[in-house]
């Protein structure tokens, strides 16, 4: 085993890691990856389907944050740039260029005030993106743009004859390039776009789009929506995007039914309705008391609509999805848990990396956790600020960027490249006991490749005035253990004794909590960075407890605060 393969910035290609990655792929992924290398037929532009009777009373969808800052400029991923002139601008990331082609701003907050900008931008896109050329015609941005254009048209009736013809052409192109080689959220987005377009147009081709979409959605809904309501890629951010997709599908199907159409896809809305309460409950469980998501796997603010916005959207659709306090609970099929006591909330990861065949958005964060108290995030994970390959992407996905235990400077799952995972940590023996003290226990085998085949077990015990964390390393060999606690934005750490650190609000100086090692581990404070949004780096601090597992096989940490 190449030990360097687990360290950020040092991921040379090797056959072993490649095998550990591709062995989990499904046959359809392999087959369609091979098919991509073969010539594809060109795009036929004749006999486009005609526009049908538009769906009626389409409810206002969830609103994103605005991205257009001027008629010819936008801010994506917290980076400003020109739009409408160069549609594949140099010096911008692939994800930024994808966002350039999504057209999310057509349906963002305050979109009605930017209608003139939007009409001009659609015209410039039509002129600057000839069929099949460039980033804008890749299947994923094409899928999101089709939906955004249709949503905009159903609200504002803004697409002219040229744009409608392009919309039909884009859908025809997408129908021949469905992302079977990726699956997951990409495949779901493809199907959603085919459904939207299939309900906007009529004729045999539009009916084929609807049938294709219906077949994919019927297959993928039970696959991607776990029994506890969570999205199977196990990212709170992608779960909210999945929830938005589900509501959009209900919206377009119900609207089409009111226009006397959609008989062949009407049951899709019912299948989603049966899952919506659990999907919303999952989202609430994985949100802090501040209403925003926890940072597990690829997750950041401002990419998906907020839970509050999605709840309001469900209400506009006549779907009542509950709310209020969630309490302590284990999301058994997802592998996350929420603990509540004494005004404190712990959200913990006792989950797999994700679907074995699709762990692209996974981080090596097994047995990591986040802690809030009195509405303030105290302990967090590092977040996500970029998808581009390189040392920083690897670092943000690595175990050391999360509030968990790192063994021998290794990652608990073998993350590499931007979206690859070789060896994976598998949790086991997960239990949650809710009493006067809320106790969560679990262990994982992600370090089994090390000498002595170590297993890491962690127990969280949440009481009224403290959280105690017990870490056990079971191994026949000695290992260096580093327990990392990343502090939330705006917090500072102040050593009081060799084993005691105060966590304070940086602005007020008020002490929020005290963290202490109860097992003689060496405690230190290090500079750190937090990434709550794409393109954002916030300086912060972390507390690290280091020890030798042979000397201290069982380590206990206490985080205390005044009783509520």
């Amino acid at each position: 085993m190449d030990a360097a393969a687990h360290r950020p910035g040092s991921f040379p290609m090797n056959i072993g890691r490649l095998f550990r990655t591709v062995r989990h792929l499904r046959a359809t992924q392999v087959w369609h990856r091979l098919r991509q290398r073969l010539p594809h037929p060109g795009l036929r532009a004749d006999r486009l389907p005609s526009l049908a009777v538009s769906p009626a009373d389409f409810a206002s969808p969830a609103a994103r944050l605005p991205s257009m800052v001027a008629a010819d400029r936008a801010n994506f991923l917290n980076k400003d740039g020109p739009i409408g002139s160069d549609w594949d601008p140099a010096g911008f990331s692939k994800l930024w260029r994808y966002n350039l082609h999504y057209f999310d701003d057509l349906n963002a907050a305050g979109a009605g005030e930017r209608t003139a900008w939007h009409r001009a931008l659609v015209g410039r896109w039509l002129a600057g993106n000839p069929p099949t050329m460039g980033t804008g015609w890749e299947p994923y941005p094409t899928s999101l743009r089709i939906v955004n254009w249709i949503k905009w048209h159903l609200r504002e009736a803004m697409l002219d004859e040229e744009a409608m013809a392009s919309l039909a052409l884009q859908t025809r192109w997408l129908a021949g390039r469905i992302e079977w080689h990726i699956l997951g959220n990409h495949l779901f987005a493809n199907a959603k776009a085919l459904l939207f377009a299939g309900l906007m147009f009529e004729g045999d081709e539009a009916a084929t789009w609807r049938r294709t979409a219906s077949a994919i959605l019927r297959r993928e809904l039970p696959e991607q929506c776990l029994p506890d309501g969570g999205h199977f890629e196990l990212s709170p951010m992608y779960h909210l995007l999945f929830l938005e997709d589900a509501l959009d599908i209900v919206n377009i199907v119900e609207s089409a039914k009111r226009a006397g159409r959609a008989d062949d896809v009407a049951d899709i809305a019912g299948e989603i309705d049966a899952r919506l309460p659990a999907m919303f409950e999952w989202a609430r469980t994985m949100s802090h008391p501040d209403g925003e998501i926890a940072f597990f796997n690829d997750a950041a603010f401002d990419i998906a609509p907020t839970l509050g916005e999605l709840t309001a959207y469900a209400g506009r659709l006549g779907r009542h999805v509950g709310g209020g306090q969630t309490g302590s609970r284990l999301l058994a099929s997802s592998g996350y848990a929420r603990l509540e006591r004494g005004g404190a909330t712990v959200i913990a990861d006792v989950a797999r990396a994700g679907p074995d065949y699709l762990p692209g958005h996974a981080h090596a964060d097994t047995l990591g956790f986040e802690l809030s108290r009195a509405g303030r995030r105290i302990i967090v994970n590092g977040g996500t600020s970029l998808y581009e390959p390189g040392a920083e992407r690897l670092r943000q996905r690595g175990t050391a960027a999360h509030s968990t235990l790192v063994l021998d400077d290794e990652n608990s799952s073998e993350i590499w490249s931007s979206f690859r995972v070789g060896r994976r940590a598998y949790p086991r023996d997960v239990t949650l006991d809710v009493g006067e003290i809320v106790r969560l226990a679990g262990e994982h085998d992600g370090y089994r490749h090390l000498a002595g085949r170590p297993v890491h077990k962690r127990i969280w015990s949440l009481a009224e005035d403290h959280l105690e964390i017990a870490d056990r390393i079971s191994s026949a060999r000695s290992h260096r253990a580093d327990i990392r606690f990343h502090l939330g934005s705006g917090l500072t750490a102040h050593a009081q004794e060799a084993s005691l650190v105060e966590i304070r609000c940086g602005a007020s100086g008020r002490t929020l909590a005290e963290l202490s090692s109860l097992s003689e581990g060496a405690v230190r404070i290090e500079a750190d960075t937090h990434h709550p949004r794409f393109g954002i780096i916030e300086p912060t601090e972390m507390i690290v407890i280091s020890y030798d597992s042979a000397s201290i096989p069982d380590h206990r940490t206490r985080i205390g605060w005044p009783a509520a």
Side-chain angles (χ1 to χ4, degrees):
M1 193 280 297
D2 180 6
H6 292 268
R7 298 191 180 98
S10 59
F11 280 72
M13 177 57 68
N14 64 68
I15 297 301
R17 187 177 66 233
L18 183 61
F19 172 74
R20 292 190 293 272
T21 302
V22 302
R23 64 186 289 263
H24 298 283
L25 294 177
R26 288 187 168 176
T28 186
Q29 291 174 288
V30 176
W31 166 240
H32 284 280
R33 286 175 190 272
L34 294 174
R35 282 195 64 189
Q36 282 194 312
R37 299 176 181 274
L38 301 176
H40 281 69
L43 177 61
R44 179 176 55 83
D46 62 326
R47 291 182 295 175
L48 293 173
S50 57
L51 192 65
V53 176
S54 291
D57 303 319
F58 186 77
S60 178
R64 308 288 184 88
L65 293 176
S67 53
M68 291 187 73
V69 297
D72 59 353
R73 297 195 70 79
N75 187 288
F76 303 125
L77 312 175
N78 292 294
K79 183 173 182 177
D80 190 75
I83 60 171
S85 52
D86 185 351
W87 292 93
D88 263 313
F92 291 85
S93 70
K94 182 77 168 181
L95 185 58
W96 197 96
R97 287 180 282 130
Y98 263 29
N99 274 266
L100 177 61
H101 293 272
Y102 291 166
F103 280 77
D104 280 342
D105 198 72
L106 269 60
N107 301 290
E113 302 168 6
R114 300 184 295 280
T115 297
W117 293 0
H118 293 155
R119 295 187 68 174
L121 187 66
V122 169
R124 293 201 298 275
W125 191 91
L126 293 170
N129 291 271
T132 80
M133 302 295 291
T135 296
W137 284 83
E138 292 185 24
Y140 190 70
T142 297
S143 297
L144 271 62
R145 182 177 57 255
I146 288 170
V147 170
N148 275 323
W149 281 20
I150 292 175
K151 284 183 182 179
W152 185 54
H153 182 74
L154 292 176
R155 287 177 31 250
E156 305 288 346
M158 286 297 177
L159 293 179
D160 59 19
E161 185 176 344
E162 181 186 9
M164 280 295 185
S166 174
L167 188 65
L169 201 62
Q170 292 174 51
T171 309
R172 178 178 287 173
W173 177 253
L174 173 65
R177 284 156 182 80
I178 296 171
E179 294 173 281
W180 294 107
H181 62 296
I182 297 177
L183 301 177
N185 68 85
H186 278 237
L187 179 60
F188 204 87
N190 301 159
K192 175 185 172 183
L194 292 175
L195 180 66
F196 265 66
L199 291 171
M200 281 293 294
F201 294 95
E202 61 184 2
D204 291 343
E205 187 172 12
T208 298
W209 296 341
R210 293 195 302 273
R211 285 195 299 271
T212 301
S214 179
I216 293 173
L217 293 173
R218 286 190 179 94
R219 191 189 83 165
E220 292 300 310
L221 272 171
E223 172 82 2
Q224 296 198 29
C225 186
L226 298 173
D228 60 21
H231 184 248
F232 77 150
E233 293 191 58
L234 304 181
S235 154
M237 179 180 80
Y238 279 94
H239 177 82
L240 293 184
L241 291 170
F242 181 60
L243 189 47
E244 180 189 31
D245 286 342
L247 293 172
D248 282 345
I249 291 169
V250 169
N251 197 357
I252 191 73
V253 170
E254 293 295 310
S255 298
K257 284 169 62 179
R258 287 191 289 271
R261 307 182 67 241
D263 289 345
D264 52 349
V265 293
D267 62 317
I268 295 296
E271 292 192 25
I272 290 174
D273 276 334
R275 293 172 169 85
L276 280 179
M279 294 170 74
F280 272 94
E281 183 63 21
W282 196 97
R284 287 190 289 269
T285 299
M286 295 301 295
S287 297
H288 282 271
D290 62 13
E292 295 278 11
I293 58 172
F295 296 130
F296 294 98
N297 292 324
D298 279 338
F301 298 150
D302 300 342
I303 298 298
T306 65
L307 175 57
E309 180 65 30
L310 290 170
T311 302
Y313 183 18
R316 293 192 292 275
L317 294 172
R319 271 64 181 177
H320 303 290
V321 292
Q325 297 297 317
T326 60
S328 299
R329 64 187 301 235
L330 174 65
L331 297 165
S333 49
S334 299
Y336 289 109
R338 182 186 185 94
L339 289 64
E340 291 186 355
R341 183 68 76 228
T345 299
V346 172
I347 305 175
D349 180 353
V350 284
R352 298 159 66 100
D356 274 338
Y357 67 89
L358 192 67
H361 292 294
H363 288 201
D365 55 5
T366 310
L367 301 190
F369 79 104
E370 297 194 333
L371 166 69
S372 281
R373 186 175 182 277
R376 184 71 184 260
R377 298 188 186 209
I378 297 175
I379 304 296
V380 297
N381 292 312
T384 304
S385 71
L386 78 171
Y387 280 171
E388 293 71 53
E392 180 60 16
R393 170 66 172 161
L394 296 173
R395 188 192 71 80
Q396 290 183 19
R397 295 180 73 203
T399 305
H402 301 84
S403 293
T404 187
L405 180 143
V406 182
L407 213 57
D408 293 345
D409 293 324
E410 298 273 331
N411 287 324
S412 57
S413 288
E414 190 181 16
I415 51 99
W416 62 284
S417 189
S418 291
F419 303 104
R420 302 286 183 264
V421 182
R423 186 183 297 107
R424 297 100 195 267
Y426 290 100
R428 60 196 187 197
D429 298 336
V430 175
T431 60
L432 175 66
D433 296 314
V434 180
E436 185 175 345
I437 294 177
V438 184
R439 184 170 286 106
L440 172 70
E443 63 185 40
H444 76 86
D445 62 357
Y447 296 119
R448 65 191 179 280
H449 59 285
L450 298 177
R453 299 182 65 81
V455 171
H456 174 210
K457 180 175 182 177
R458 171 166 277 191
I459 301 174
W460 295 264
S461 300
L462 180 62
E464 286 287 327
D465 61 353
H466 72 274
L467 170 67
E468 186 170 302
I469 301 168
D471 288 295
R472 170 179 293 178
I473 304 300
S474 301
S475 176
R477 300 289 186 89
S478 173
H479 301 276
R480 173 189 169 88
D482 294 290
I483 309 174
R484 295 177 179 264
F485 301 91
H486 298 265
L487 301 188
S489 298
L491 304 187
T492 57
H494 301 267
Q496 301 302 297
E497 301 172 4
S499 61
L500 177 65
V501 177
E502 284 189 353
I503 301 172
R504 300 176 186 169
C505 172
S508 68
R510 182 168 63 93
T511 298
L512 302 177
E514 292 183 341
L515 185 149
S516 57
S517 169
L518 304 180
S519 305
E520 300 182 355
V523 182
R524 65 185 185 276
I525 300 166
E526 295 185 2
D528 193 18
T529 56
H530 186 46
H531 311 91
R533 294 171 174 83
F534 274 80
I536 296 296
I537 300 174
E538 294 182 353
T540 184
E541 294 179 333
M542 66 175 162
I543 303 167
V544 184
I545 302 175
S546 299
Y547 60 95
D548 183 275
S549 68
S551 302
I552 309 175
D554 295 279
H555 184 279
R556 291 187 301 130
T557 306
R558 180 186 173 101
I559 305 173
W561 50 81

